[in-house]
């Protein structure tokens, strides 16, 4: 009888120790797994960019890679040829002989809205700035050159290749956005700004000049500056219809209007465009300043 009671006590003691070990083990696992789950991203795709996966697939596609190779395969026009479009040879393998490269993930390129510039929209972030393009630079220079892939939204959803531009300044500035801030451009002066709540801060020399040398202004004061600069230069104005506006626009159609030959447009910021009227970029000054 005594032996039976002793055996029962020993069994209970083992069960208690086993329970304690299991509880401690579970606690240890939770302490390790907990932070890992906490730091894991809830959603790897940017919520503020529609159809981001489609854009990501596009910049990683063979078609975009080949287009970048064609662009980099032609020297940037210099001197007297700077303003003359140059046809790009259509090789079977445009990337043959080029160093390996990848195209980085797309970043948002935000611009001031026409309504904000005209003063008809409220000086609040959702009214002042809009997502216009996505930009993706190369992960490394190719033969000393870098390039930026620009995507434009497609009507009905998705994205399409708008242009390939020389340099990576657009992507560099777009990448300066942080949690709680928004980066946008004033394309007419190639100015880049950071918006913190309702405070506008310059990111380059052009933007500092655009703020009259100030280190920051309120969004409301920035709207007043824009209105003074562009009130008579908005789309549809005489200034615009005369072709004086800078920034983004449609490519000029050729006389035939049906050519699909890629051409390299020269200038201080060369871009690969499609001569048949596809979406493209007007030449702009380099924004690296």
């Amino acid at each position: 009888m005594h032996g039976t009671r002793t055996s029962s006590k020993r069994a209970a003691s083992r069960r208690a120790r086993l329970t304690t070990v299991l509880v401690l083990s579970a606690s240890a696992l939770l302490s390790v797994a907990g932070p890992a789950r906490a730091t894991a991203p809830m959603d790897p795709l940017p919520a503020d960019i529609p159809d981001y996966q489609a854009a990501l697939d596009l910049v990683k596609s063979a078609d975009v890679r080949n287009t970048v190779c064609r662009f980099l395969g032609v020297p940037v026009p210099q001197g007297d040829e700077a303003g003359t479009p140059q046809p790009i040879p259509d090789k079977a393998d445009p990337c043959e002989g080029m160093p390996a490269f990848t195209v980085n993930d797309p970043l948002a390129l935000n611009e001031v809205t026409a309504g904000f510039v005209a003063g008809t929209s409220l000086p609040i972030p959702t009214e002042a700035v809009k997502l216009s393009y996505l930009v993706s630079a190369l992960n490394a220079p190719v033969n000393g050159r870098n390039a930026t892939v620009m995507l434009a939204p497609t009507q009905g959803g998705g994205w399409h290749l708008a242009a390939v531009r020389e340099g990576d300044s657009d992507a560099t500035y777009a990448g300066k956005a942080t949690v709680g801030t928004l980066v946008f451009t004033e394309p007419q002066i190639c100015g880049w700004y950071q918006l913190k709540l309702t405070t506008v801060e310059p990111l380059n020399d052009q933007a500092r000049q655009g703020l009259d040398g100030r280190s920051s202004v309120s969004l409301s004061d920035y709207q007043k500056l824009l209105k003074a600069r562009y009130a008579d230069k908005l789309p549809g104005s005489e200034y615009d219809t005369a072709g004086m506006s800078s920034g983004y626009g449609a490519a000029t159609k050729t006389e035939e209007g049906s050519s699909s030959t890629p051409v390299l447009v020269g200038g201080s910021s060369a871009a690969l465009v499609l001569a048949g009227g596809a979406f493209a970029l007007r030449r702009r000054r380099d924004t690296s300043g």
Side-chain angles (χ1 to χ4, degrees):
M1 222 27 206
H2 177 72
T4 302
R5 286 197 300 271
T6 300
S7 298
S8 298
K9 289 179 180 179
R10 288 175 179 173
S13 177
R14 283 196 298 271
R15 285 195 297 271
R17 286 198 300 272
L18 179 60
T19 300
T20 301
V21 169
L22 290 174
V23 169
L24 291 175
S25 299
S27 298
L29 288 172
L30 288 173
S31 66
V32 172
R37 287 196 301 269
T39 57
M42 296 295 292
D43 184 354
L45 303 182
D48 57 339
I49 299 179
D51 301 316
Y52 188 80
Q53 186 61 57
L56 192 61
D57 293 341
L58 180 56
V59 299
K60 304 298 182 182
S61 68
D63 287 344
V64 166
R65 181 180 180 81
N66 288 339
T67 302
V68 172
C69 288
R70 291 190 183 97
F71 176 80
L72 295 173
V74 176
V76 177
Q78 303 292 334
D80 295 338
E81 297 181 348
T84 304
Q86 299 185 5
I88 296 178
D90 188 13
K91 299 192 303 183
D93 182 5
C95 300
E96 182 180 1
M98 283 194 179
F101 68 88
T102 58
V103 182
N104 293 331
D105 293 353
L107 300 170
L109 193 157
N110 300 294
E111 295 180 325
V112 289
T113 66
F116 180 72
V117 173
T120 57
S121 298
L122 294 174
I124 57 177
T126 54
E127 297 283 335
V129 177
K130 67 174 182 178
L131 173 64
S132 296
Y133 300 93
L134 298 182
V135 290
S136 304
L138 307 186
N139 69 318
V142 175
N143 296 331
R145 292 172 60 188
N146 213 320
T148 296
V149 172
M150 303 194 71
L151 307 182
T154 301
Q155 187 174 7
W159 299 86
H160 63 270
L161 178 62
V164 179
R165 290 192 57 227
E166 189 77 17
D168 61 354
S169 58
D170 286 340
T172 298
Y173 283 116
K176 292 183 180 295
T178 60
V179 176
T181 69
L182 187 148
V183 170
F184 68 93
T185 180
E186 182 186 334
Q188 289 79 3
I189 64 170
C190 303
W192 284 90
Y193 304 84
Q194 188 170 50
L195 180 61
K196 299 178 179 178
L197 296 179
T198 58
T199 299
V200 178
E201 298 179 356
L203 292 177
N204 63 356
D205 289 342
Q206 291 92 327
R208 279 183 281 274
Q209 293 171 9
L211 299 185
D212 295 334
R214 285 174 281 182
S215 60
S216 66
V217 299
S218 69
L219 194 57
S220 178
D221 285 343
Y222 177 61
Q223 184 178 33
K224 295 174 183 176
L225 291 171
L226 291 183
K227 187 175 180 180
R229 278 202 286 272
Y230 307 123
D232 60 344
K233 301 177 180 66
L234 293 173
S237 66
E238 181 179 352
Y239 183 86
D240 177 58
T241 55
M244 301 294 290
S245 299
S246 62
Y248 302 106
T252 303
K253 292 187 178 183
T254 60
E255 292 181 4
E256 297 296 329
S258 59
S259 172
S260 60
T261 304
V263 295
L264 181 67
V265 178
S268 59
S269 183
L272 173 66
V273 302
L274 203 60
F279 208 95
L281 292 175
R282 295 179 185 174
R283 283 172 287 153
R284 298 189 294 162
R285 295 190 306 275
D286 185 21
T287 60
S288 59

